[in-house]
Each structure stands twice: as structure tokens, then as C-alpha cells.
Amino acid sequence: MALPRPVPGSHSSKQASEHQVLEILGNKTTNGAALWVLLMSGAVAMGTESNTVEYVKDKVAATPDANTNTNANTATKSADETNFPSIIEIKKTIPPHCFEPCVATSFYYAAKDLFMVALLYAASEAMWQVLPAYVALALTPLYWLLQGTYLWAIFVVGHDCGHDSFSKSVPLNDVVGTVLHTLVFAPYYCWKLSHRHHHKNTGNIDRDEVFYPIRSDDGSKGMQALPGFGLGVAWFIYLMTGYHDRPVCHFNPLDALFKRHVAGCAVSVASIAVWCLVLWRYVSAFGAASFAYHYAVPLFVSTTYLVIVTFLHHNEVEIPWYADSEWRNVKGQISSVDRDYGWCHELTHNIGTHQIHHLFPKIPHYHLEEATRHFRKTFPDLVHICNEPIIPAFVRMFKTFVQQHVIGKDVVIHIYKK
């Protein structure tokens, strides 16, 4: 599906306005990220003002490891722990209908997100036609924020397709997922496979996909992270190269991770190639400035959501990471954190409600909140909730991660500490 096209007759006047703004800002698209972060720091920092984390208590009896930062709580021996319930025991507490996708409902959310992207595009075009340039400029960061939010919502629906929670039909899921993820420049089938690998190894130091603690003999081989991981840029780096010492190229259908799924991955990569041609035609018709304004910057906002949300899903103080020898499915999936994303929580399909998603990824996003209420009621000691506003939480945990993510070779449990 191509980007909504502006009215041909209005192209010249709008392009002139855009070039005036480029002169005012120097480069409006470069400054967009900073403007967006400022907006997010106020807009996403909603909800309660407390920054408490409710976590599994007395499950990890850990001691500092001499080979790691002593601010981190690590263990080199198997820890005593209360028995975790089985996945079957947890499933019995959740109403059966929560596991049932409704095709009509799933399509409603996909169509709504696509409609909102088109509507915002049209509104921004009208904004530059009817409002003074300085007013349109002032409203531009808001447009980028909202458009990026809905692109992120589109990604989340495609993510559901990858988990087969969009419908019970795998072919339908793959077709819809390919279309949606292609629109946000993500190779659907390739990422579906790496993401499922993440779900099978959540909280596993030695097997997880991204943002895991890094082992080192001397503590000097940690990740040299850009500030905030580079925000949305980090997503594209991951797609191209993987994370740290676990390389994977999501644009290579022949990558070892995809060896049994070459055909599906090839279709996704081909879809990206076709989308690139569509985008090139758009640039040829309406200019690079229009492309950056309507697609590149909102996409950066969307992928910044992706980086922040993914990192905060699995990194918080007192949340354990386990060595492969210690890891078990339920306790690994429990090592996730529920967070409320304020005004955009429901707009982005409750993806911040993450513990129950990891326990049962086939639960559709529109049933996550209900399933979570039953889980929390029955297993309150397993609940992890952080109520701190999102931007401060990300800044705090990024600093903590940088300081404490390097661990010794023999560490079996790693916990970030304040």
C-alpha cells in the first residue's frame, strides 16, 4: 500500500512552504527527533508519579560476583527459589475466550491504524495550505509524534500476526503481517523468526536476542552504546547486524537463523524491495523533503518507540536474568515488566502489558488487559509492575544498564540494582 498522495495541484505551493521552513530550522527533519523527545517526556510521563517496581520477592538469593560491577547483584551458584507455577496452572486462571482471536476485531484495529495514518497525512497537507507557515511549523512535532505513534501501532498489529494472535489462519496472518510490516520497513517473516527465538529464550543471558547482559572475563568487553542506544537508529542496526555477539541479518533470507524458512523470508525481503521502489517513486514525484517530512521522521519516531518499549519490557531493577543452566520457561517469561504508556497505551494496543503476553503470546492484544487482571489476582507474587513515567524510566535504566550489563563468565543469575 503506497503512502497517501497529496493533491497534485497543491504540490508547488506546499513545496515552497516546506523549503521556507527548512531555511528557518536549517534542517527540520534533523531537529524532529529532539522535538519529539521533548514532547514524549511530557506526554508519555503520565499516570502515577510513583516509580515503584513490584517484583518476585525472596526468589533470588544472590551474591556479588568479583568479576562484575559490584553495584549489580549477581550469583555464581544456583539460587534457592520458591516453585513457580506451571504454564498449565497459569493458563487455567485465564478465561478461555481470552485466547480466541476474532478476525473482524483484528482487522478493525489494523484498518483503524491505517486510516489514522492516512487521515493525519491529509490533515498535515491541509495544515500547510490553510495555516501560516509558522503555525504549521509549530504543529509539526505534534504531527510527527502522532504519525509515529500510529506507525508503531501498525507494527504492533503486524507483531500479533507473527504470533498467530491476529487470526487462527497462519496464511492470513502472514499475508497481513507482511503488508503491515513492509509499510514500516520491517522484513516481516525474518523478524517473526528472530522474535520467536526471543520468546523462547526470554530472560536467558546466553540465548536471548537483544539487551541481554554481556559476559566478559575482565569486564572490558561490554557494549559501547550510543546515548539511548541511538533511539530509533538502533532498530535498523539490529535488523542489519543483530545484537553484540549474536549476529543476524534480517535482510538476508540465507542467514543461518532462517535456514528452514528461506522462502518466507525471501518474500518479506522482496516486499521491502518493492516498497523501496514505491518510496522512490514518491520521492521522484514529491521531493525528498516531503518524503522526510511524511515518512522518514515519523518512521524514526516509530522505531524509537520500538527501542524504548523493547528495552523496558525486560530491564528493570530486581528483575533477574538467568544463565542457560538456570533458565526455565515460566520464570524466564515472568522476567518481564508491565508498564502503562499513558495516553498512547491503548492506541498502541496495550503492548506495555507484557508479562501475560510473554506467557501466552497467542492472546490477542485486545484481551491482554483482561487476562492480566486474572493473572495478577491469582499470582500476585509473580507480578512485575513499574509505574514510573516512561522517559525517566528509560533514562534511568539505560544508565544502570551501561554501568552493570557486563558480567562474569560464571554468573548464573544477574540482577540490576539501584
Side-chain angles (χ1 to χ4, degrees):
M1 178 180 177
L3 285 167
R5 301 176 67 86
V7 178
S10 66
H11 170 54
S12 59
S13 60
K14 176 187 177 294
Q15 190 176 47
S17 297
E18 285 182 337
H19 285 301
Q20 291 173 2
V21 174
L22 283 169
E23 292 177 1
I24 295 171
L25 284 181
N27 189 332
K28 68 181 179 181
T29 56
T30 302
N31 288 281
L35 290 168
W36 173 77
V37 170
L38 288 173
L39 269 175
M40 287 290 286
S41 65
V44 178
M46 298 176 66
T48 62
E49 295 183 357
S50 64
N51 59 351
T52 58
V53 181
E54 302 172 14
Y55 56 93
V56 183
K57 298 176 177 62
D58 302 324
K59 285 203 167 30
V60 180
T63 56
D65 185 306
N67 294 326
T68 64
N69 188 320
T70 56
N71 289 328
N73 198 4
T74 60
T76 57
K77 294 183 180 180
S78 179
D80 293 330
E81 59 180 37
T82 304
N83 288 330
F84 284 81
S86 70
I87 196 71
I88 299 300
E89 290 173 322
I90 299 175
K91 186 175 182 178
K92 288 179 179 178
T93 69
I94 299 173
H97 73 265
C98 288
F99 296 88
E100 297 295 321
C102 172
V103 176
T105 303
S106 296
F107 268 113
Y108 161 76
Y109 284 107
K112 183 197 73 171
D113 293 340
L114 292 170
F115 173 78
M116 288 303 302
V117 166
L119 181 64
L120 285 167
Y121 184 101
S124 70
E125 287 289 308
M127 174 178 75
W128 284 98
Q129 295 299 318
V130 303
L131 297 177
Y134 70 90
V135 176
L137 173 62
L139 292 175
T140 289
L142 179 61
Y143 165 64
W144 286 339
L145 173 61
L146 293 176
Q147 192 72 297
T149 300
Y150 276 106
L151 290 180
W152 167 232
I154 287 172
F155 182 93
V156 174
V157 176
H159 155 272
D160 274 17
C161 293
H163 284 302
D164 294 329
S165 61
F166 185 88
S167 77
K168 291 184 178 180
S169 169
V170 174
L172 177 61
N173 294 336
D174 286 344
V175 169
V176 175
T178 298
V179 171
L180 295 180
H181 273 194
T182 298
L183 293 176
V184 292
F185 216 88
Y188 165 77
Y189 208 96
C190 306
W191 183 77
K192 163 186 168 178
L193 296 176
S194 65
H195 187 63
R196 287 188 175 187
H197 184 265
H198 157 64
H199 269 260
K200 291 178 181 178
N201 299 281
T202 301
N204 189 321
I205 297 169
D206 303 304
R207 293 180 178 271
D208 209 341
E209 274 291 307
V210 69
F211 298 136
Y212 49 81
I214 295 172
R215 296 190 182 278
S216 174
D217 286 326
D218 56 11
S220 62
K221 297 180 180 179
M223 184 185 65
Q224 301 301 313
L226 295 170
F229 300 109
L231 300 178
V233 175
W235 165 244
F236 295 106
I237 295 174
Y238 167 71
L239 287 181
M240 290 295 298
T241 66
Y243 182 79
H244 196 63
D245 57 348
R246 293 168 201 170
V248 58
C249 178
H250 291 79
F251 298 99
N252 177 15
L254 301 179
D255 192 282
L257 186 62
F258 314 137
K259 60 184 178 181
R260 296 181 181 178
H261 304 272
V262 173
C265 293
V267 170
S268 290
V269 173
S271 298
I272 293 291
V274 171
W275 183 235
C276 286
L277 291 175
V278 172
L279 294 176
W280 175 252
R281 291 290 299 273
Y282 182 92
V283 171
S284 299
F286 303 108
S290 181
F291 167 79
Y293 187 84
H294 287 299
Y295 188 71
V297 173
L299 185 64
F300 173 79
V301 173
S302 170
T303 57
T304 296
Y305 267 110
L306 196 158
V307 171
I308 292 175
V309 171
T310 302
F311 176 72
L312 291 179
H313 279 336
H314 303 291
N315 290 281
E316 187 51 79
V317 296
E318 307 297 347
I319 302 299
W321 283 82
Y322 301 97
D324 193 43
S325 60
E326 282 291 301
W327 187 90
R328 299 294 182 272
N329 180 51
V330 171
K331 71 179 183 180
Q333 308 303 339
I334 290 295
S335 284
S336 304
V337 184
D338 286 353
R339 302 177 192 265
D340 190 295
Y341 284 76
W343 66 271
C344 61
H345 187 78
E346 291 187 5
L347 289 182
T348 56
H349 310 307
N350 308 310
I351 194 63
T353 306
H354 209 62
Q355 277 193 296
I356 206 68
H357 169 67
H358 260 274
L359 288 164
F360 305 105
K362 288 195 174 185
I363 292 181
H365 67 82
Y366 40 85
H367 291 320
L368 283 176
E369 296 290 348
E370 179 182 0
T372 295
R373 287 194 295 271
H374 289 277
F375 167 71
R376 290 176 179 175
K377 181 178 179 180
T378 308
F379 301 103
D381 289 340
L382 301 183
V383 174
H384 301 165
I385 304 173
C386 182
N387 295 317
E388 185 179 13
I390 298 303
I391 298 300
F394 176 69
V395 172
R396 171 182 56 80
M397 273 311 302
F398 174 76
K399 292 178 180 178
T400 300
F401 177 88
V402 169
Q403 295 168 357
Q404 302 178 22
H405 76 283
V406 180
I407 62 175
K409 293 287 187 179
D410 55 352
V411 170
V412 296
I413 299 175
H414 177 67
I415 303 174
Y416 292 106
K417 304 299 289 185
K418 294 181 179 179

